[in-house]
Coordinates of all heavy atoms in Angstrom, one line a residue:
M28 N 0.8 -1.2 0.0 CA 0.0 0.0 0.0 C 0.9 1.3 0.0 O 1.0 1.9 -1.0 CB -0.9 0.0 1.2 CG -1.9 -1.1 1.2 SD -3.3 -0.7 2.1 CE -4.0 -2.3 2.2
F29 N 1.4 1.6 1.2 CA 2.3 2.7 1.3 C 3.8 2.2 1.1 O 4.1 1.2 1.6 CB 2.2 3.4 2.6 CG 1.0 4.3 2.7 CD1 0.0 4.1 3.6 CD2 0.9 5.4 1.8 CE1 -1.1 4.9 3.7 CE2 -0.2 6.2 1.9 CZ -1.2 6.0 2.9
N30 N 4.5 3.0 0.5 CA 5.9 2.8 0.4 C 6.6 3.1 1.7 O 6.2 4.0 2.4 CB 6.6 3.7 -0.7 CG 8.0 3.3 -1.0 OD1 8.6 2.4 -0.4 ND2 8.5 3.9 -2.1
K31 N 7.6 2.3 2.2 CA 8.2 2.5 3.5 C 8.8 3.9 3.6 O 8.7 4.5 4.6 CB 9.2 1.4 3.7 CG 9.9 1.5 5.1 CD 10.8 0.3 5.3 CE 11.6 0.4 6.6 NZ 11.1 1.1 7.7
V32 N 9.4 4.4 2.5 CA 10.0 5.7 2.6 C 9.0 6.8 2.8 O 9.2 7.7 3.6 CB 10.8 5.9 1.2 CG1 11.3 7.3 1.2 CG2 11.9 4.9 1.1
I33 N 7.8 6.6 2.1 CA 6.7 7.6 2.3 C 6.2 7.6 3.8 O 6.0 8.6 4.4 CB 5.6 7.4 1.3 CG1 6.1 7.6 -0.1 CG2 4.4 8.3 1.6 CD1 5.1 7.3 -1.2
M34 N 6.0 6.4 4.3 CA 5.5 6.2 5.6 C 6.5 6.7 6.6 O 6.1 7.4 7.6 CB 5.2 4.7 5.9 CG 4.3 4.5 7.1 SD 2.7 5.3 6.8 CE 1.9 4.8 8.2
D35 N 7.8 6.5 6.4 CA 8.8 7.0 7.3 C 8.8 8.6 7.3 O 8.9 9.2 8.3 CB 10.2 6.5 7.0 CG 10.4 5.1 7.4 OD1 9.6 4.6 8.2 OD2 11.3 4.4 6.9
G36 N 8.6 9.1 6.1 CA 8.5 10.6 6.0 C 7.3 11.2 6.8 O 7.4 12.2 7.4
I37 N 6.2 10.5 6.7 CA 5.0 10.9 7.4 C 5.2 10.9 8.9 O 4.8 11.8 9.6 CB 3.7 10.1 6.9 CG1 3.4 10.4 5.5 CG2 2.5 10.4 7.8 CD1 2.4 9.5 4.9
L38 N 5.7 9.7 9.3 CA 6.0 9.6 10.8 C 7.0 10.6 11.3 O 6.9 11.1 12.4 CB 6.5 8.2 11.1 CG 5.4 7.1 10.9 CD1 6.0 5.7 11.1 CD2 4.2 7.3 11.9
D39 N 8.0 10.9 10.5 CA 9.0 12.0 10.9 C 8.3 13.3 11.0 O 8.6 14.1 11.9 CB 10.1 12.0 9.9 CG 11.1 10.9 10.0 OD1 11.1 10.2 11.1 OD2 11.9 10.6 9.1
A40 N 7.4 13.6 10.1 CA 6.7 14.9 10.1 C 5.8 15.0 11.3 O 5.7 16.1 12.0 CB 5.9 15.1 8.8
V41 N 5.1 13.9 11.7 CA 4.3 13.9 12.9 C 5.1 14.0 14.1 O 4.8 14.8 15.0 CB 3.5 12.6 12.9 CG1 2.8 12.4 14.3 CG2 2.5 12.5 11.8
R42 N 6.3 13.4 14.2 CA 7.2 13.5 15.4 C 7.7 14.9 15.5 O 7.7 15.5 16.6 CB 8.3 12.6 15.2 CG 8.1 11.2 15.6 CD 9.4 10.3 15.6 NE 9.0 9.0 15.3 CZ 9.5 8.3 14.2 NH1 10.3 8.8 13.4 NH2 9.1 7.1 14.0
I43 N 8.1 15.5 14.4 CA 8.6 16.9 14.5 C 7.5 17.9 14.9 O 7.8 18.8 15.7 CB 9.2 17.3 13.1 CG1 10.5 16.5 12.9 CG2 9.5 18.8 13.0 CD1 11.1 16.6 11.5
S44 N 6.3 17.7 14.4 CA 5.2 18.6 14.8 C 4.9 18.4 16.2 O 4.6 19.4 16.9 CB 4.0 18.2 13.9 OG 4.2 18.4 12.6
A45 N 4.9 17.2 16.7 CA 4.6 17.0 18.2 C 5.6 17.6 19.0 O 5.3 18.2 20.1 CB 4.4 15.5 18.4
I46 N 6.9 17.4 18.7 CA 8.0 18.0 19.5 C 7.9 19.5 19.4 O 8.1 20.2 20.4 CB 9.3 17.5 18.9 CG1 9.5 16.0 19.3 CG2 10.5 18.3 19.5 CD1 10.7 15.3 18.7
A47 N 7.6 20.1 18.3 CA 7.5 21.6 18.2 C 6.4 22.1 19.0 O 6.5 23.1 19.7 CB 7.3 22.0 16.7
F48 N 5.3 21.4 19.1 CA 4.1 21.8 19.9 C 4.5 21.7 21.4 O 4.2 22.6 22.1 CB 2.9 20.9 19.6 CG 1.7 21.2 20.4 CD1 1.0 22.4 20.2 CD2 1.3 20.4 21.5 CE1 -0.1 22.8 21.0 CE2 0.2 20.7 22.2 CZ -0.5 21.9 22.0
I49 N 5.1 20.6 21.8 CA 5.5 20.5 23.2 C 6.5 21.5 23.6 O 6.5 22.1 24.7 CB 6.0 19.0 23.5 CG1 4.9 18.0 23.3 CG2 6.6 18.9 24.9 CD1 3.8 18.2 24.2
M50 N 7.5 21.8 22.7 CA 8.5 22.8 23.0 C 7.8 24.2 23.1 O 8.2 25.0 24.0 CB 9.6 22.9 21.9 CG 10.4 21.7 21.9 SD 11.3 21.4 23.4 CE 12.5 22.7 23.3
S51 N 6.8 24.5 22.3 CA 6.2 25.8 22.4 C 5.4 25.9 23.7 O 5.3 27.0 24.3 CB 5.3 26.1 21.2 OG 4.2 25.2 21.2
V52 N 4.8 24.8 24.2 CA 4.1 24.8 25.4 C 5.0 24.9 26.6 O 4.8 25.7 27.5 CB 3.2 23.5 25.5 CG1 2.7 23.3 26.9 CG2 2.1 23.5 24.5
T53 N 6.1 24.2 26.6 CA 7.1 24.2 27.7 C 7.7 25.6 27.8 O 8.1 26.0 28.9 CB 8.1 23.2 27.6 OG1 8.8 23.3 26.3 CG2 7.6 21.8 27.7
N54 N 7.8 26.4 26.7 CA 8.4 27.7 26.8 C 7.4 28.6 27.6 O 7.8 29.5 28.3 CB 8.6 28.3 25.4 CG 9.9 27.8 24.8 OD1 10.8 27.4 25.5 ND2 9.9 27.8 23.5
D55 N 6.1 28.3 27.5 CA 5.1 29.1 28.2 C 5.2 28.8 29.7 O 4.8 29.7 30.5 CB 3.7 28.8 27.8 CG 3.5 29.2 26.3 OD1 4.2 30.1 25.8 OD2 2.5 28.8 25.7
V56 N 5.5 27.6 30.1 CA 5.5 27.3 31.6 C 6.9 26.9 32.1 O 7.0 26.2 33.1 CB 4.5 26.1 31.8 CG1 3.1 26.5 31.5 CG2 4.9 24.9 30.9
M57 N 7.9 27.5 31.5 CA 9.3 27.2 31.9 C 9.5 27.6 33.4 O 10.2 27.0 34.1 CB 10.3 27.9 31.0 CG 11.7 27.5 31.3 SD 12.0 25.7 31.1 CE 11.9 25.5 29.4
T58 N 8.9 28.7 33.8 CA 9.1 29.2 35.2 C 8.5 28.1 36.2 O 9.2 27.9 37.2 CB 8.4 30.5 35.4 OG1 8.9 31.5 34.5 CG2 8.6 31.0 36.8
F59 N 7.4 27.5 35.8 CA 6.9 26.5 36.7 C 7.8 25.3 36.7 O 7.9 24.6 37.8 CB 5.5 26.1 36.2 CG 4.4 27.2 36.4 CD1 3.9 27.8 35.3 CD2 4.1 27.6 37.7 CE1 2.9 28.8 35.5 CE2 3.1 28.5 37.9 CZ 2.5 29.2 36.8
F60 N 8.4 24.9 35.6 CA 9.3 23.8 35.6 C 10.5 24.1 36.5 O 11.0 23.2 37.2 CB 9.8 23.5 34.2 CG 8.7 22.8 33.4 CD1 8.6 23.0 32.0 CD2 7.8 21.9 33.9 CE1 7.7 22.4 31.2 CE2 6.9 21.3 33.2 CZ 6.8 21.5 31.8
V61 N 11.0 25.3 36.4 CA 12.2 25.7 37.3 C 11.8 25.6 38.7 O 12.5 25.1 39.6 CB 12.7 27.1 36.9 CG1 13.7 27.6 37.9 CG2 13.3 27.1 35.5
L62 N 10.6 26.1 39.1 CA 10.1 25.9 40.5 C 9.9 24.5 40.9 O 10.2 24.1 42.0 CB 8.8 26.7 40.6 CG 8.9 28.2 40.6 CD1 7.5 28.9 40.6 CD2 9.7 28.7 41.7
I63 N 9.4 23.7 40.0 CA 9.3 22.2 40.3 C 10.6 21.6 40.6 O 10.8 20.9 41.6 CB 8.5 21.5 39.2 CG1 7.1 21.8 39.2 CG2 8.7 20.0 39.3 CD1 6.3 21.3 38.0
V64 N 11.6 21.9 39.8 CA 13.0 21.4 40.0 C 13.5 21.9 41.3 O 14.1 21.1 42.1 CB 13.9 21.7 38.8 CG1 15.3 21.4 39.2 CG2 13.4 21.0 37.6
L65 N 13.4 23.2 41.6 CA 13.9 23.7 42.9 C 13.2 23.1 44.1 O 13.9 22.7 45.0 CB 13.8 25.3 42.9 CG 14.7 26.0 41.9 CD1 14.4 27.5 41.9 CD2 16.1 25.8 42.3
F66 N 11.9 23.1 44.1 CA 11.2 22.5 45.2 C 11.4 21.0 45.3 O 11.5 20.5 46.5 CB 9.7 22.8 45.1 CG 9.3 24.2 45.5 CD1 8.6 25.0 44.6 CD2 9.6 24.7 46.7 CE1 8.3 26.3 44.9 CE2 9.3 26.0 47.1 CZ 8.6 26.8 46.2
G67 N 11.6 20.3 44.2 CA 11.9 18.9 44.3 C 13.3 18.7 44.9 O 13.4 17.8 45.7
T68 N 14.2 19.5 44.5 CA 15.6 19.3 45.1 C 15.6 19.7 46.6 O 16.2 19.0 47.4 CB 16.6 20.3 44.3 OG1 16.5 19.9 42.9 CG2 18.0 20.1 44.9
L69 N 14.9 20.7 46.9 CA 14.8 21.1 48.3 C 14.1 20.0 49.1 O 14.5 19.7 50.2 CB 14.0 22.4 48.5 CG 13.8 23.0 49.9 CD1 15.2 23.4 50.5 CD2 12.9 24.2 49.9
N70 N 13.0 19.5 48.6 CA 12.3 18.4 49.3 C 13.2 17.2 49.5 O 13.2 16.6 50.6 CB 11.0 18.0 48.5 CG 10.2 17.0 49.2 OD1 10.2 16.8 50.4 ND2 9.4 16.2 48.4
F71 N 13.9 16.8 48.5 CA 14.8 15.7 48.6 C 15.9 15.9 49.6 O 16.2 15.0 50.5 CB 15.5 15.4 47.2 CG 16.6 14.4 47.3 CD1 16.2 13.0 47.3 CD2 17.9 14.7 47.2 CE1 17.2 12.0 47.4 CE2 18.9 13.7 47.3 CZ 18.5 12.4 47.4
V72 N 16.5 17.1 49.6 CA 17.6 17.4 50.6 C 17.1 17.4 52.0 O 17.7 16.8 52.9 CB 18.3 18.7 50.2 CG1 19.3 19.1 51.3 CG2 19.1 18.5 48.9
V73 N 15.9 18.1 52.2 CA 15.4 18.1 53.6 C 15.0 16.7 54.0 O 15.2 16.4 55.2 CB 14.2 19.1 53.6 CG1 13.4 19.0 54.9 CG2 14.7 20.5 53.4
G74 N 14.3 15.9 53.2 CA 14.0 14.6 53.6 C 15.2 13.7 53.9 O 15.2 12.9 54.8
L75 N 16.2 13.9 53.1 CA 17.5 13.1 53.3 C 18.1 13.5 54.6 O 18.5 12.6 55.4 CB 18.4 13.3 52.2 CG 19.8 12.6 52.3 CD1 19.6 11.1 52.3 CD2 20.7 13.0 51.1
V76 N 18.2 14.8 54.9 CA 18.8 15.2 56.2 C 17.9 14.8 57.4 O 18.5 14.3 58.4 CB 18.9 16.8 56.2 CG1 19.3 17.3 57.5 CG2 20.0 17.2 55.2
A77 N 16.6 14.8 57.2 CA 15.7 14.4 58.3 C 15.9 12.9 58.6 O 16.0 12.5 59.7 CB 14.3 14.7 58.0
D78 N 16.0 12.1 57.5 CA 16.2 10.7 57.7 C 17.5 10.3 58.3 O 17.7 9.5 59.2 CB 16.0 9.9 56.4 CG 14.6 9.7 56.0 OD1 13.7 9.9 56.9 OD2 14.3 9.3 54.9
L79 N 18.6 11.0 57.9 CA 19.9 10.8 58.4 C 20.0 11.2 59.9 O 20.7 10.5 60.7 CB 21.0 11.5 57.6 CG 21.2 10.9 56.1 CD1 22.2 11.8 55.4 CD2 21.6 9.5 56.1
R80 N 19.4 12.2 60.2 CA 19.3 12.7 61.6 C 18.6 11.7 62.5 O 18.9 11.5 63.7 CB 18.7 14.0 61.8 CG 19.7 15.1 61.4 CD 19.1 16.5 61.9 NE 20.1 17.5 61.7 CZ 20.0 18.7 62.0 NH1 18.9 19.1 62.6 NH2 20.9 19.6 61.8
A81 N 17.5 11.1 61.9 CA 16.7 10.1 62.7 C 17.4 8.7 62.7 O 16.9 7.8 63.3 CB 15.3 10.0 62.1
G82 N 18.5 8.6 62.1 CA 19.3 7.3 62.1 C 18.8 6.3 61.0 O 19.2 5.2 61.0
K83 N 18.0 6.8 60.1 CA 17.5 5.9 59.0 C 18.5 6.0 57.8 O 19.0 7.0 57.5 CB 16.1 6.3 58.5 CG 15.0 6.2 59.6 CD 13.7 6.7 59.0 CE 12.7 6.7 60.1 NZ 11.4 7.3 59.6
P84 N 18.7 4.8 57.1 CA 19.6 4.9 56.0 C 18.9 5.5 54.8 O 17.7 5.6 54.7 CB 19.9 3.4 55.7 CG 18.7 2.7 56.2 CD 18.2 3.5 57.4
Y85 N 19.7 5.9 53.8 CA 19.2 6.4 52.5 C 18.4 5.3 51.8 O 18.8 4.2 51.8 CB 20.4 6.9 51.7 CG 20.0 7.2 50.3 CD1 19.3 8.4 50.0 CD2 20.2 6.3 49.2 CE1 18.9 8.7 48.7 CE2 19.8 6.6 47.9 CZ 19.2 7.8 47.7 OH 18.8 8.1 46.4
S86 N 17.3 5.7 51.2 CA 16.5 4.8 50.5 C 16.2 5.2 49.1 O 15.6 6.3 48.9 CB 15.1 4.6 51.3 OG 14.2 3.9 50.5
H87 N 16.6 4.4 48.1 CA 16.3 4.8 46.7 C 14.8 4.8 46.5 O 14.3 5.7 45.7 CB 16.9 3.7 45.8 CG 18.3 3.9 45.5 ND1 18.9 5.1 45.1 CD2 19.4 3.0 45.7 CE1 20.2 4.9 45.0 NE2 20.5 3.6 45.3
R88 N 14.1 3.9 47.1 CA 12.6 3.9 47.0 C 11.9 5.2 47.4 O 11.1 5.7 46.7 CB 12.0 2.7 47.8 CG 10.5 2.6 47.7 CD 10.0 1.5 48.5 NE 9.2 0.7 47.6 CZ 8.7 -0.5 47.9 NH1 9.0 -1.0 49.0 NH2 8.0 -1.1 47.0
K89 N 12.3 5.7 48.5 CA 11.8 7.0 49.0 C 12.2 8.2 48.1 O 11.4 9.0 47.8 CB 12.2 7.2 50.4 CG 11.5 8.4 51.1 CD 11.9 8.5 52.5 CE 11.3 9.7 53.2 NZ 11.7 9.8 54.6
A90 N 13.4 8.2 47.6 CA 13.9 9.2 46.8 C 13.1 9.2 45.4 O 12.7 10.3 44.9 CB 15.4 9.1 46.5
F91 N 13.0 8.1 44.8 CA 12.3 8.0 43.5 C 10.8 8.3 43.7 O 10.2 8.7 42.7 CB 12.6 6.7 42.8 CG 14.0 6.6 42.2 CD1 14.9 5.7 42.7 CD2 14.3 7.4 41.1 CE1 16.2 5.7 42.1 CE2 15.5 7.4 40.5 CZ 16.5 6.5 41.0
H92 N 10.3 8.0 44.8 CA 8.9 8.3 45.0 C 8.7 9.8 45.0 O 7.7 10.3 44.4 CB 8.4 7.7 46.4 CG 7.0 8.0 46.7 ND1 6.0 7.3 46.0 CD2 6.3 8.8 47.5 CE1 4.8 7.7 46.5 NE2 5.0 8.6 47.4
A93 N 9.6 10.5 45.6 CA 9.5 12.0 45.6 C 9.7 12.6 44.2 O 9.0 13.4 43.8 CB 10.6 12.6 46.6
F94 N 10.7 12.0 43.5 CA 10.9 12.5 42.1 C 9.7 12.2 41.2 O 9.4 12.9 40.3 CB 12.2 11.9 41.5 CG 13.4 12.4 42.2 CD1 14.4 11.6 42.6 CD2 13.6 13.8 42.4 CE1 15.6 12.1 43.2 CE2 14.7 14.3 43.0 CZ 15.7 13.4 43.4
F95 N 9.1 11.0 41.5 CA 7.9 10.6 40.7 C 6.7 11.6 40.9 O 6.1 12.0 39.9 CB 7.5 9.2 41.1 CG 6.3 8.7 40.3 CD1 6.4 8.3 39.0 CD2 5.1 8.5 40.9 CE1 5.3 7.9 38.3 CE2 4.0 8.1 40.2 CZ 4.1 7.7 38.9
E96 N 6.6 12.0 42.1 CA 5.5 13.0 42.4 C 5.7 14.3 41.7 O 4.8 14.9 41.1 CB 5.4 13.3 43.9 CG 4.9 12.1 44.7 CD 4.9 12.4 46.2 OE1 5.4 13.4 46.6 OE2 4.4 11.5 46.9
Y97 N 7.0 14.8 41.6 CA 7.3 16.0 40.9 C 7.2 15.8 39.4 O 6.8 16.8 38.7 CB 8.6 16.6 41.3 CG 8.5 17.2 42.7 CD1 9.0 16.6 43.8 CD2 7.9 18.5 42.8 CE1 8.9 17.2 45.1 CE2 7.8 19.1 44.1 CZ 8.3 18.4 45.2 OH 8.2 19.0 46.4
A98 N 7.5 14.6 38.9 CA 7.3 14.4 37.5 C 5.8 14.4 37.1 O 5.5 15.0 36.0 CB 7.9 13.0 37.1
I99 N 5.0 13.9 38.0 CA 3.5 13.9 37.7 C 3.1 15.4 37.7 O 2.3 15.8 36.8 CB 2.8 13.1 38.8 CG1 3.1 11.7 38.7 CG2 1.3 13.4 38.7 CD1 2.6 11.0 37.4
A100 N 3.6 16.2 38.6 CA 3.2 17.6 38.6 C 3.6 18.3 37.3 O 2.9 19.1 36.8 CB 3.9 18.3 39.8
A101 N 4.8 18.0 36.8 CA 5.3 18.6 35.6 C 4.4 18.2 34.4 O 4.1 19.0 33.5 CB 6.8 18.2 35.3
I102 N 4.0 16.9 34.4 CA 3.2 16.4 33.3 C 1.8 17.1 33.4 O 1.3 17.5 32.3 CB 3.0 14.9 33.4 CG1 4.4 14.2 33.0 CG2 1.9 14.4 32.5 CD1 4.4 12.8 33.3
V103 N 1.2 17.3 34.5 CA -0.1 17.9 34.7 C 0.0 19.4 34.2 O -0.9 19.9 33.5 CB -0.6 17.8 36.1 CG1 -1.7 18.8 36.4 CG2 -0.9 16.4 36.5
I104 N 1.1 20.1 34.6 CA 1.2 21.5 34.1 C 1.4 21.5 32.6 O 0.8 22.4 32.0 CB 2.4 22.1 34.9 CG1 2.1 22.4 36.3 CG2 2.8 23.4 34.2 CD1 3.2 22.8 37.2
T105 N 2.2 20.6 32.0 CA 2.4 20.6 30.6 C 1.0 20.4 29.9 O 0.7 21.1 28.9 CB 3.4 19.5 30.2 OG1 4.6 19.8 30.9 CG2 3.6 19.5 28.7
F106 N 0.3 19.4 30.3 CA -1.0 19.1 29.6 C -2.0 20.2 29.8 O -2.8 20.6 28.9 CB -1.6 17.8 30.1 CG -1.0 16.6 29.4 CD1 -0.4 15.6 30.2 CD2 -0.9 16.5 28.1 CE1 0.2 14.5 29.6 CE2 -0.3 15.4 27.4 CZ 0.2 14.4 28.2
T107 N -2.0 20.9 31.0 CA -2.9 22.0 31.2 C -2.5 23.2 30.3 O -3.3 23.8 29.7 CB -2.8 22.5 32.7 OG1 -3.1 21.4 33.5 CG2 -3.7 23.7 32.9
A108 N -1.2 23.4 30.1 CA -0.7 24.5 29.2 C -1.0 24.1 27.8 O -1.4 25.0 27.0 CB 0.8 24.7 29.4
A109 N -0.9 22.9 27.4 CA -1.2 22.4 26.1 C -2.7 22.6 25.8 O -3.1 23.1 24.7 CB -0.8 21.0 25.8
A110 N -3.6 22.3 26.7 CA -5.0 22.5 26.5 C -5.3 24.0 26.4 O -6.2 24.4 25.6 CB -5.8 21.9 27.7
A111 N -4.7 24.8 27.2 CA -4.9 26.2 27.2 C -4.5 26.8 25.8 O -5.2 27.7 25.2 CB -4.2 27.0 28.3
R112 N -3.4 26.3 25.3 CA -2.9 26.8 24.0 C -3.8 26.3 22.9 O -4.1 27.1 21.9 CB -1.5 26.2 23.7 CG -1.0 26.7 22.3 CD 0.4 26.6 22.2 NE 1.1 27.5 23.0 CZ 2.0 28.4 22.4 NH1 2.2 28.4 21.2 NH2 2.6 29.2 23.2
L113 N -4.4 25.1 23.0 CA -5.3 24.7 21.9 C -6.7 25.4 22.0 O -7.3 25.6 21.0 CB -5.6 23.2 22.1 CG -4.4 22.3 21.7 CD1 -4.7 20.8 22.1 CD2 -4.0 22.4 20.2
I114 N -7.1 25.8 23.2 CA -8.4 26.5 23.4 C -8.2 27.9 22.9 O -9.2 28.5 22.4 CB -8.9 26.4 24.8 CG1 -9.3 24.9 25.1 CG2 -10.0 27.3 25.1 CD1 -9.5 24.7 26.6
Q115 N -7.1 28.5 23.1 CA -6.9 29.9 22.8 C -7.2 30.2 21.3 O -6.7 29.5 20.4 CB -5.4 30.3 23.1 CG -5.1 31.8 22.8 CD -3.6 32.0 23.1 OE1 -2.9 31.2 23.5 NE2 -3.2 33.3 22.9
P116 N -8.0 31.2 21.0 CA -8.4 31.5 19.6 C -7.2 32.1 18.8 O -6.3 32.6 19.4 CB -9.5 32.5 19.7 CG -9.4 33.1 21.1 CD -8.7 32.1 21.9

């Protein structure tokens, strides 16, 4: 049906369009991403210091749980900004 070269070109165009859209959205909310990274780092450091003072060892599971929460926050902000950009006339 479709030639492989044509299909690859179509998929490349779709990928480039999606990446360009996400980049334009992330430029709108870059300040929020910076705040998410700063608060995530602060949360990690404070939690680590609190655990070490309490005599608990470092836990990868607890650290990745905190990073996962901030990744979810970044994804929610990105999708909210994308929806706002699509709704904007």
Side-chain angles (χ1 to χ4, degrees):
M28 297 206 192
F29 281 117
N30 190 352
K31 182 171 174 32
V32 175
I33 294 172
M34 196 62 173
D35 286 343
I37 291 171
L38 290 175
D39 286 342
V41 169
R42 280 188 210 119
I43 291 170
S44 299
I46 290 170
F48 178 71
I49 294 298
M50 291 299 289
S51 69
V52 168
T53 56
N54 283 336
D55 294 342
V56 292
M57 189 57 73
T58 303
F59 292 112
F60 286 145
V61 170
L62 288 174
I63 286 172
V64 169
L65 289 176
F66 282 122
T68 304
L69 181 66
N70 184 26
F71 173 75
V72 169
V73 168
L75 179 63
V76 169
D78 279 350
L79 292 177
R80 281 192 174 185
K83 297 178 185 175
Y85 170 77
S86 169
H87 282 307
R88 175 179 235 171
K89 188 174 179 182
F91 282 114
H92 182 73
F94 291 133
F95 181 72
E96 289 175 356
Y97 284 103
I99 294 295
I102 290 169
V103 167
I104 288 172
T105 301
F106 281 124
T107 303
R112 177 162 289 236
L113 289 173
I114 292 171
Q115 180 182 1

